[in-house]
């Protein structure tokens, strides 16, 4: 028979064990609880007036699209870049009228969408205007990205500016030059160079950083009259003509997206783009105008 | 009186305490590590969520309501090139999940949250998940290590005081045994005194009384009475001599143990007619006084028992000094007895004397097979 004063001793380890278990459970429940995803009851809605055409998507499309919208003369609301993927999602959600993409649709994105390609733009090797004009071939560009070549001919330090993986400009060059693709991907892995994720950031880097070089759109350079040096590729200077003749290899197609048949307003804008005036504007801006899809021709 | 078992009492109370110590040690550090490790990981996740939220807000403000479509590209870019540790990123708003990036972390994930303060939605937030498997695994390893440490400590907490208590109990028992021995020694002395008084009263006292009566008769001229009185004086002298011999110590002081034993056995043989065969060590080595006295008494008691009860025709006395001990053996060819069946005062006295000397006693006997009494006594009596 244990004395009453000693009985509590037998409960003490049990109490400590229970307390420790409670603390452990509380710790795990507090720190391991993740976000609770609510079931959406609402969808994002257009917040622009019904009589305005709302466009958003890839930053590569913005300069030409803005030019065309101004020439069209009706109310167009053009959002800042949300990327091709953002354009696809936004148009599918109904948040915009037309999405802007600068790359082919992926297989999982194609369902229910109509693609309206309207321009082809040369992807160029661009640098600050202080850099003397260069003529790059596959090995030369690969040397830049792999870090073998570190200076320009005038001795200026060379700074490569890369876009994120999957960027349409990089894809356009990597499709043709595999050695460049290897050098570029290795640079990603080693984080050798600065990586930006938007056209605006690339533009700012090329303009502001002395000796910087990167892949950019020729159309944007021409429309915005950017003081950038555009280099030759295997002796060919990029232009709509060399692009059309196939002498200049690197390009990407700019397209618009609609969910099914476009609205009347959007159809009117697309009609303007594919009109002679629209195509002329496109060509003069440094882009190669593309034909309306065969299935959508009147 | 046997003392209470303090070790058992203490063990009963130390066990729950030891269990508590073991549990505290085993769980304390691992739980603290787990708590603060997860908390630190949560703070890290929250900080990264805040960085992402800041960048998304910066971009989102210029995207005028379409931030939820532009954010994935930005977040993927941040995750790939600026936020190496953010394993899983989720952006939620009032419409549900906006975007999820990164692979599902293996095992447990710690989540940190930062509000995404955009104009159109106060419920938007960035969640960043970081793997916590390493923290939990480390916590479990710590748990194993500290469980072993806790078990060891619990064992120590139990064993050390209990062992001390056991030793104290043993010491108490020894002290109580010594006290008992002292009491028995006093009893023995008292018995000796009473026996001596009885012998003086029955022997010398009776003889002197008879002598006084005969001397009174001799005053009236009876010549024969004087002759008888002379005989009584001789008897009294003999009685005194035997009593003195029984007391022993004085003769031991004079001639030592071995010579005293020779004389005593000679006297024994004369009195009882039982021959005693002696096997004593050569020389006249002197032993400690108390040891000589105890040996002498033991031999006296053993031979007395033999004379009274054994019906022996011969007795053998052997004394050996081996190493640090004195071996004493008294054996006879008498009738023997059943070991344990006899509990006489003589054997009891012998056992007490041996015990007082710190020695051990062995009685080898069986009915019809004589009796051999062997005592082994340490020479270093003071040390015992």
């Amino acid at each position: 028979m244990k004395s009453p004063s000693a009985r509590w001793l037998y409960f003490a380890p049990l109490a400590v064990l229970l307390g420790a278990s409670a603390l452990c459970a509380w710790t795990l429940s507090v720190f391991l609880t993740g976000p609770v995803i609510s079931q959406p009851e609402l969808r994002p809605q257009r917040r622009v007036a019904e009589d305005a055409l709302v466009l958003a998507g890839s930053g590569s499309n913005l300069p030409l699209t803005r030019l065309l919208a101004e020439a069209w003369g009706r109310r167009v609301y053009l959002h800042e870049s949300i990327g091709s993927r953002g354009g696809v999602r936004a148009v599918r959600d109904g948040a915009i009228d037309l999405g802007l993409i600068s790359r082919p649709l992926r297989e999982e994105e194609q369902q229910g969408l109509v693609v309206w390609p309207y321009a082809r733009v040369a992807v160029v090797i661009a640098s600050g205007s202080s850099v003397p004009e260069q003529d790059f071939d596959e090995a030369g560009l690969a040397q830049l990205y792999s870090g073998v070549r570190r200076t320009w001919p005038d001795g200026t330090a060379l700074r490569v500016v890369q876009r994120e993986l999957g960027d349409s400009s990089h894809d356009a060059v990597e499709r043709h030059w595999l050695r460049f693709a290897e050098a570029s991907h290795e640079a990603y892995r080693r984080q050798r160079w600065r990586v930006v994720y938007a056209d605006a950031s690339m533009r700012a880097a090329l303009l502001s950083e002395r000796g910087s070089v990167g892949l950019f759109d020729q159309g944007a350079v021409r429309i915005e009259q950017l003081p950038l040096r555009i280099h030759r590729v295997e002796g060919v200077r990029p232009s709509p003509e060399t692009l059309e003749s196939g002498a200049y290899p690197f390009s990407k197609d700019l397209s618009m997206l609609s969910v099914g048949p476009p609205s009347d307003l959007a159809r009117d804008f697309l009609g303007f783009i594919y009109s002679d005036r629209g195509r002329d504007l496109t060509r003069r801006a440094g882009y190669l105008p593309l034909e309306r899809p065969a299935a959508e021709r009147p | 009186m046997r003392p209470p078992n303090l070790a058992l009492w203490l063990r009963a109370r130390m066990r729950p305490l030891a269990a508590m110590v073991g549990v505290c040690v085993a769980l304390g550090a691992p739980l603290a590590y787990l708590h603060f490790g997860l908390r630190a990981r949560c703070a890290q996740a929250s900080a990264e969520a805040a960085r992402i939220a800041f960048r998304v807000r910066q971009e989102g403000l210029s995207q005028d309501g379409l931030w939820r479509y532009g954010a994935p590209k930005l977040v993927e870019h941040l995750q790939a090139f600026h936020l190496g540790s953010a394993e899983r990123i989720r952006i939620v708003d009032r419409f549900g999940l906006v975007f999820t990036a990164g692979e599902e972390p293996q095992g447990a994930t710690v989540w940190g949250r930062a509000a995404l303060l955009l104009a159109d939605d106060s419920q938007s937030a960035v969640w960043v998940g970081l793997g916590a498997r390493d923290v939990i695994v480390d916590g479990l390893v710590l748990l194993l290590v500290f469980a072993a440490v806790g078990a060891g400590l619990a064992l120590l907490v139990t064993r050390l005081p209990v062992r001390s208590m056991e030793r104290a109990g043993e010491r108490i028992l020894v002290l109580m045994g010594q006290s008992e021995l002292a009491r028995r020694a006093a009893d023995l002395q008292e018995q000796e005194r009473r026996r001596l008084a009885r012998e003086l009263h029955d022997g010398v006292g009776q003889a002197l009384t008879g002598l006084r009566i005969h001397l009174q008769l001799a005053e009236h001229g009876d010549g024969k009475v004087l002759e008888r009185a002379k005989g009584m004086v001789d008897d009294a002298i003999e009685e005194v001599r035997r009593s003195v011999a029984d007391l022993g110590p004085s003769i031991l002081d004079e001639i030592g143990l071995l010579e005293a034993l020779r004389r005593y056995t000679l006297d024994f043989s004369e009195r009882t007619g039982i021959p005693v065969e002696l096997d004593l060590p050569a020389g006249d080595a002197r032993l400690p006084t108390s040891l000589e006295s105890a040996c002498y008494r033991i031999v006296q008691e053993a031979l007395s028992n033999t004379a009274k009860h054994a019906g022996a025709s011969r007795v053998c006395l052997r004394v050996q000094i081996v190493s640090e001990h004195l071996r004493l053996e008294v054996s006879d060819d008498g009738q023997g007895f059943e070991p344990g069946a006899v509990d006489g005062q003589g054997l009891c006295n012998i056992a007490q004397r041996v015990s007082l000397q710190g020695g051990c006693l062995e009685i080898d006997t069986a009915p019809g097979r004589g009796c051999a009494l062997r005592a082994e006594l340490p020479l270093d009596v003071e040390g015992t």
Side-chain angles (χ1 to χ4, degrees):
Chain A
M1 184 72 181
K2 297 170 185 67
S3 66
S5 60
R7 277 185 190 148
W8 68 270
L9 289 175
Y10 290 84
F11 293 103
L14 192 62
V16 170
L17 200 60
L18 287 175
S21 304
L23 180 63
C24 191
W26 177 78
T27 296
L28 293 177
S29 67
V30 166
F31 295 123
L32 302 186
T33 302
V36 177
I37 310 298
S38 60
Q39 293 298 318
E41 298 172 0
L42 303 169
R43 302 289 293 174
Q45 294 178 342
R46 264 174 59 111
R47 301 194 314 164
V48 181
E50 288 296 324
D51 62 341
L53 183 68
V54 183
L55 308 175
S58 171
S60 300
N61 298 49
L62 295 183
L64 176 61
T65 307
R66 187 174 291 120
L67 183 73
L68 291 169
E70 286 171 359
W72 183 44
R74 308 224 2 215
R75 285 187 66 188
V76 175
Y77 195 92
L78 188 59
H79 281 279
E80 289 299 313
S81 170
I82 57 173
S84 294
R85 180 171 43 164
V88 172
R89 285 188 60 194
V91 75
R92 200 183 284 286
D93 281 354
I96 56 175
D97 297 311
L98 291 172
L100 306 174
I101 58 171
S102 58
R103 58 166 173 77
L105 279 181
R106 295 177 184 129
E107 195 174 336
E108 69 273 13
E109 294 173 335
Q110 291 173 357
Q111 180 74 31
L113 293 181
V114 179
V115 182
W116 305 86
Y118 62 100
R120 180 169 293 159
V121 63
V123 174
V124 298
I125 303 167
S127 62
S129 57
S130 63
V131 175
E133 186 176 358
Q134 304 286 303
D135 185 7
F136 284 103
D137 58 7
E138 184 175 5
L141 192 61
Q143 282 182 349
L144 245 64
Y145 279 72
S146 61
V148 173
R149 184 178 171 187
R150 309 293 293 198
T151 58
W152 295 110
D154 64 353
T156 309
L158 194 152
R159 293 191 183 93
V160 174
V161 183
Q162 283 187 289
R163 288 294 302 273
E164 79 281 4
L165 279 172
D167 169 63
S168 54
S169 296
H170 275 253
D171 286 347
V173 179
E174 289 172 8
R175 273 198 301 272
H176 292 86
W177 285 357
L178 295 179
R179 286 175 64 188
F180 165 74
E182 290 172 6
S184 177
H185 283 262
E186 195 222 349
Y188 279 128
R189 280 195 302 276
R190 295 178 179 271
Q191 300 198 1
R192 180 178 291 133
W193 305 112
R194 181 184 168 196
V195 178
V196 297
Y197 82 104
D199 283 357
S201 304
M202 176 64 85
R203 181 190 298 114
L206 293 176
L207 288 172
S208 62
E209 293 180 16
R210 185 177 169 80
S212 58
V213 61
L215 301 179
F216 202 54
D217 296 348
Q218 187 189 28
V221 174
R222 184 174 292 187
I223 290 174
E224 297 173 2
Q225 298 181 338
L226 301 175
L228 295 177
R229 177 79 64 206
I230 294 177
H231 300 284
R232 293 189 304 276
V233 170
E234 293 178 333
V236 179
R237 198 180 302 276
S239 69
E241 294 72 29
T242 54
L243 204 58
E244 190 168 25
S245 67
Y248 190 80
F250 309 136
S251 68
K252 58 185 181 183
D253 290 353
L254 309 181
S255 307
M256 295 192 187
L257 295 174
S258 65
V259 181
S263 64
D264 292 342
L265 199 62
R267 185 174 293 280
D268 193 43
F269 182 55
L270 288 169
F272 173 75
I273 289 173
Y274 289 117
S275 69
D276 289 343
R277 188 177 167 220
R279 291 170 60 82
D280 184 53
L281 270 176
T282 302
R283 183 175 291 277
R284 277 193 283 133
Y287 295 80
L288 180 65
L290 298 178
E291 296 293 331
R292 182 193 290 262
E296 302 297 333
R297 286 175 192 159
Chain B
M1 186 182 69
R2 194 170 175 74
N5 194 334
L6 294 178
L8 197 64
W9 181 88
L10 189 64
R11 191 179 288 122
R13 274 150 185 79
M14 290 306 292
R15 272 179 184 159
L17 278 177
M20 192 165 67
V21 167
V23 168
C24 288
V25 171
L27 295 181
L31 269 182
Y33 176 85
L34 189 69
H35 179 81
F36 290 109
L38 291 179
R39 191 171 163 182
R41 194 60 58 90
C42 188
Q44 185 186 354
S46 296
E48 296 208 346
R51 288 177 62 190
I52 295 171
F54 177 75
R55 289 293 302 273
V56 170
R57 183 171 183 272
Q58 271 190 323
E59 296 287 323
L61 289 175
S62 68
Q63 288 164 345
D64 196 18
L66 294 186
W67 67 267
R68 69 195 316 272
Y69 303 106
K73 185 179 175 184
L74 169 62
V75 172
E76 279 184 349
H77 173 71
L78 291 175
Q79 188 182 27
F81 299 104
H82 298 282
L83 298 169
S85 62
E87 295 179 17
R88 185 98 173 143
I89 301 170
R90 286 178 181 170
I91 300 178
V92 295
D93 66 2
R94 59 185 166 143
F95 301 116
L97 182 66
V98 172
F99 171 67
T100 179
E103 296 178 359
E104 200 65 49
Q106 295 292 317
T109 305
V110 170
W111 291 93
R113 179 186 182 278
L116 192 51
L117 303 173
L118 283 162
D120 66 333
D121 186 0
S122 60
Q123 301 170 28
S124 305
V126 175
W127 289 82
V128 168
L130 299 178
R133 191 163 175 260
D134 56 336
V135 176
I136 293 175
V137 168
D138 289 349
L140 289 175
V141 171
L142 275 181
L143 181 65
L144 289 177
V145 172
F146 276 84
V149 173
L153 274 178
L155 200 64
L156 275 181
V157 165
T158 311
R159 290 288 294 169
L160 285 181
V162 167
R163 283 197 65 182
S164 299
M165 198 57 77
E166 283 173 349
R167 285 177 182 166
E170 287 168 4
R171 182 69 183 153
I172 288 170
L173 281 177
V174 168
L175 291 175
M176 290 180 72
Q178 287 178 351
S179 171
E180 178 69 13
L181 284 177
R183 188 183 62 77
R184 289 182 186 178
D187 287 348
L188 215 55
Q189 280 184 336
E190 183 61 24
Q191 286 177 20
E192 288 290 338
R193 285 195 190 98
R194 290 182 182 183
R195 187 175 64 82
L196 187 58
R198 194 165 51 244
E199 286 184 359
L200 287 174
H201 176 268
D202 294 347
V204 181
Q206 291 296 327
L208 290 177
T209 303
L211 183 60
R212 186 176 184 281
I213 293 170
H214 281 80
L215 287 175
Q216 285 176 340
L217 291 173
E219 283 178 351
H220 299 92
D222 189 346
K224 291 180 181 177
V225 172
L226 276 177
E227 283 302 317
R228 285 204 294 274
K230 282 172 64 183
M232 291 179 76
V233 169
D234 290 340
D235 289 343
I237 290 171
E238 178 61 24
E239 188 69 22
V240 169
R241 192 173 68 85
R242 194 174 59 80
S243 296
V244 169
D246 285 347
L247 284 174
S250 61
I251 192 171
L252 288 176
D253 290 341
E254 292 168 10
I255 59 176
L257 173 67
L258 300 180
E259 184 57 29
L261 288 177
R262 280 191 195 93
R263 293 189 184 182
Y264 183 78
T265 51
L266 190 63
D267 179 57
F268 174 81
S269 296
E270 285 176 1
R271 279 191 287 113
T272 62
I274 302 171
V276 179
E277 181 183 333
L278 286 175
D279 181 5
L280 303 177
D284 54 352
R286 298 304 301 265
L287 299 172
T289 308
S290 63
L291 179 62
E292 286 190 334
S293 181
C295 286
Y296 189 80
R297 295 290 187 201
I298 290 167
V299 171
Q300 273 185 321
E301 201 77 57
L303 291 180
S304 173
N305 279 348
T306 301
K308 286 179 184 171
H309 310 295
S313 60
R314 55 189 298 273
V315 177
C316 178
L317 171 63
R318 177 174 295 143
V319 176
Q320 291 177 302
I321 296 175
V322 180
S323 183
E324 301 297 319
H325 291 84
L326 182 144
R327 286 180 185 165
L328 181 67
E329 180 177 341
V330 181
S331 56
D332 64 55
D333 59 354
Q335 58 192 10
F337 54 91
E338 187 69 42
V342 175
D343 190 19
Q345 186 63 39
L347 279 178
C348 188
N349 288 343
I350 290 171
Q352 285 179 359
R353 289 186 195 283
V354 172
S355 177
L356 281 171
Q357 293 297 315
C360 53
L361 177 68
E362 179 191 342
I363 298 172
D364 182 12
T365 181
R369 291 180 53 192
C371 176
L373 185 147
R374 299 187 189 91
E376 186 166 291
L377 307 170
L379 294 177
D380 182 13
V381 178
E382 297 301 321
T384 61

